[in-house]
């Protein structure tokens, strides 16, 4: 039972969730840079006065679980110095942030003199300075190479802009018009969240609203604990791998042990790799966010995305590891590690709730960044494309082809936007046949994207993975295809590159990325032969793949029933 009547509770719940979605649309409509406006690399949320998340928009999920640690940093700096009209920004990974391109913006919300909450917007900015265009290289070795570090600072104080801070940002980024434009979009969005939250409070009254907030967080906790209590107590471990950090191609293990004890989860990453030289180290706040996300994926849809869920989950990683590095470790490419953390946690959860976990997807987006200067005007350009790819197979359905990873909710940049904005031509954008792992249900297909440089020269940055350690299948399902990076340089043939690359390219060079596919689920010999035929006819599988992986022989567009039955019987026969 709650003090708020059920109808009012439901109305207020929907109202708060609608506010953060309206905020998300506002960012999309007002942002200047393609990475925010078109790729959708941003997030919006609303917090109460204590910094507890009330609701999250359907944006980049990996951002939002890091908000509690970010709020702790803000309160350390300004807990007793928050005023109407203040706006605080920061990006420092060692003081509340995640990596430097992601700039947090918090606007405290006041009703008269009462502080009632925060509007929060996080945007991935197209450039924050540093040694390479886009500020997102995998081969940086310390935070000082990665760009402008902003501790929690007031961009606006009591409604007045801090010109000095604006000037510092403007002078230290390659595309100040876009960066400042996106900051203004964040500001407009925070103002919308403030306005709408105050409107709700004015309508229902502060007493009713504050009672609802407490009950809403308790509701999120209660539903989460109800789910966990149905899981079998015990410890469940899983290990997944990152291919390398760009300097050392040795596999980098991420190990997790989830302990279920009644209604509480302990998630321990002891046994994971030490911090590395390259920029794939991750802050603990980001590891927490990836962990919350993975666990939230196996809960019922009606569980709200609020801080009540986090009360049920304890997350730890030893200091000095890849997942909790010592300063000044580089962290620009930490998103890759977050994706693998989510895959690892889901691998452990598959032992607890197997019907609710899908096989591994493509491993998170692949980043292709091409930046340089126009030879005549010297105007800079920075194209940051985040290729979203494939979902792993599900217990009862195939994985979805060419779809955003669940941790992202992002979009591939439209070809028309890319070609009209940057000196780049897209010569191929397609599904990658045979990339989905075989199984009773098939993994989703990844995508292929091919870029031709039209400028005289540029710096290419590639951040990919699942190159040597492909996406895992579940319960007998096969792994998805490994990813590949290729470059045709100076008119030559395609040459295979490593998964993480920073190098110069010239006019006419062609960069090709073939994304990994999702893992399969279950025994491939149990997949209906008609489903395999349909995939062949759709061009998703080749004849050879259908034969070798599924035991289905297709001739002239039809199944050879006799040969298929024989081959499948051989596939299922026990080994001698």
């Amino acid at each position: 039972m709650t003090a708020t009547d059920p109808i009012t509770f439901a109305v207020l719940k929907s109202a708060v969730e609608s506010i953060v979605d309206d905020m998300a649309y506002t960012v999309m409509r007002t942002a200047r840079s393609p990475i925010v406006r078109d790729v959708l690399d941003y997030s919006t949320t609303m917090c109460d006065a204590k910094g507890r998340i009330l609701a999250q928009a359907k944006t980049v999920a990996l951002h939002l679980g890091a908000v509690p640690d970010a709020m702790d940093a803000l309160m350390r700096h300004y807990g007793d110095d928050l005023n109407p009209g203040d706006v605080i920004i920061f990006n420092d990974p060692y003081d509340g942030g995640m990596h430097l391109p992601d700039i947090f913006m918090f606007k405290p919300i006041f009703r008269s003199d009462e502080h009632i909450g925060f509007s929060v917007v996080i945007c991935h900015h197209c450039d924050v300075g540093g040694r390479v265009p886009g500020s997102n290289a995998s081969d940086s070795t310390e935070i000082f190479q990665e760009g402008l570090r902003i501790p929690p600072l007031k961009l606006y104080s009591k409604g007045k802009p801090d010109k000095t801070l604006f000037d510092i940002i403007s002078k230290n980024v390659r595309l100040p018009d876009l960066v400042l434009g996106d900051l203004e979009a964040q500001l407009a969005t925070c103002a919308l969240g403030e306005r709408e939250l105050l409107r709700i409070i004015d309508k229902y009254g502060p007493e009713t609203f504050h009672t609802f907030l407490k009950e809403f967080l308790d509701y999120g906790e209660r539903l989460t604990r109800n789910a966990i209590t149905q899981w079998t107590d015990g410890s469940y471990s899983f290990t997944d791998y990152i291919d390398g950090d760009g300097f050392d191609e040795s596999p980098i293990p991420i190990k997790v042990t989830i302990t279920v004890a009644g209604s509480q989860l302990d998630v321990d990453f002891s046994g994971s790799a030490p911090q590395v030289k390259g920029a794939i180290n991750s802050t603990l706040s980001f590891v927490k966010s990836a962990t919350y996300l993975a666990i939230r994926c196996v809960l019922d849809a009606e569980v709200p995305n609020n801080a009540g869920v986090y009360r049920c989950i304890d997350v730890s990683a030893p200091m000095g590891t890849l997942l909790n590095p010592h300063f000044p470790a580089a962290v620009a490419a930490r998103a890759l590690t977050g994706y693998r953390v989510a895959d690892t946690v889901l691998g452990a959860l598959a032992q607890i709730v197997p019907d609710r976990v899908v096989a591994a997807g493509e491993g998170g987006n692949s980043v292709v960044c091409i930046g340089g200067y126009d030879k005549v005007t010297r105007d800079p350009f920075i194209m940051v494309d985040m290729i979203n790819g494939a979902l792993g197979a599900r217990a009862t359905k195939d994985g979805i082809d060419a779809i955003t990873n669940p941790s992202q909710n992002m979009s591939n940049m439209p070809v028309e936007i890319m070609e009209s904005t940057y000196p780049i031509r897209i010569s191929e954008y397609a599904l990658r046949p045979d990339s989905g792992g075989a199984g009773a249900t098939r993994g989703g297909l990844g995508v292929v994207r091919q870029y031709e440089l039209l400028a005289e020269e540029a710096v290419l940055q590639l951040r990919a993975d699942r190159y040597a350690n492909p996406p895992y299948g579940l319960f007998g399902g096969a792994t998805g295809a490994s990813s590949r990076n290729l470059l045709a340089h100076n008119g030559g043939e395609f040459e295979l590159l490593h998964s993480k690359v920073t190098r110069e390219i010239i006019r006419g060079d062609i960069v090709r990325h073939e994304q990994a596919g999702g893992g399969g689920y279950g025994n491939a010999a149990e997949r209906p032969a008609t489903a395999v035929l349909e995939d062949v006819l759709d061009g998703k599988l080749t004849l050879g793949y259908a034969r070798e992986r599924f035991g289905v022989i297709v001739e002239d567009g039809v199944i050879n029933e006799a040969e298929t039955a024989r081959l499948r019987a051989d596939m299922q026969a026990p080994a001698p």
Side-chain angles (χ1 to χ4, degrees), residues 308-338:
V309 176
Y310 307 158
R311 298 171 182 171
C312 313
I313 306 165
D314 297 318
V315 182
S316 62
M319 192 70 192
T321 63
L322 177 75
L323 309 182
N324 191 8
H326 290 293
F327 176 83
V331 298
R334 63 81 179 92
L336 169 59
T337 303

Side-chain angles (χ1 to χ4, degrees), residues 323-376:
L323 309 182
N324 191 8
H326 290 293
F327 176 83
V331 298
R334 63 81 179 92
L336 169 59
T337 303
Y339 303 140
R340 201 62 65 251
V341 166
D343 286 343
T344 305
V345 174
L346 285 166
L349 289 169
Q351 302 168 42
I352 304 171
V353 282
D355 293 342
R356 288 180 173 263
V357 178
V358 303
E362 84 291 13
N365 65 30
S366 301
V367 177
V368 180
C369 180
I370 300 174
Y373 294 87
D374 184 277
K375 190 173 183 180
V376 177

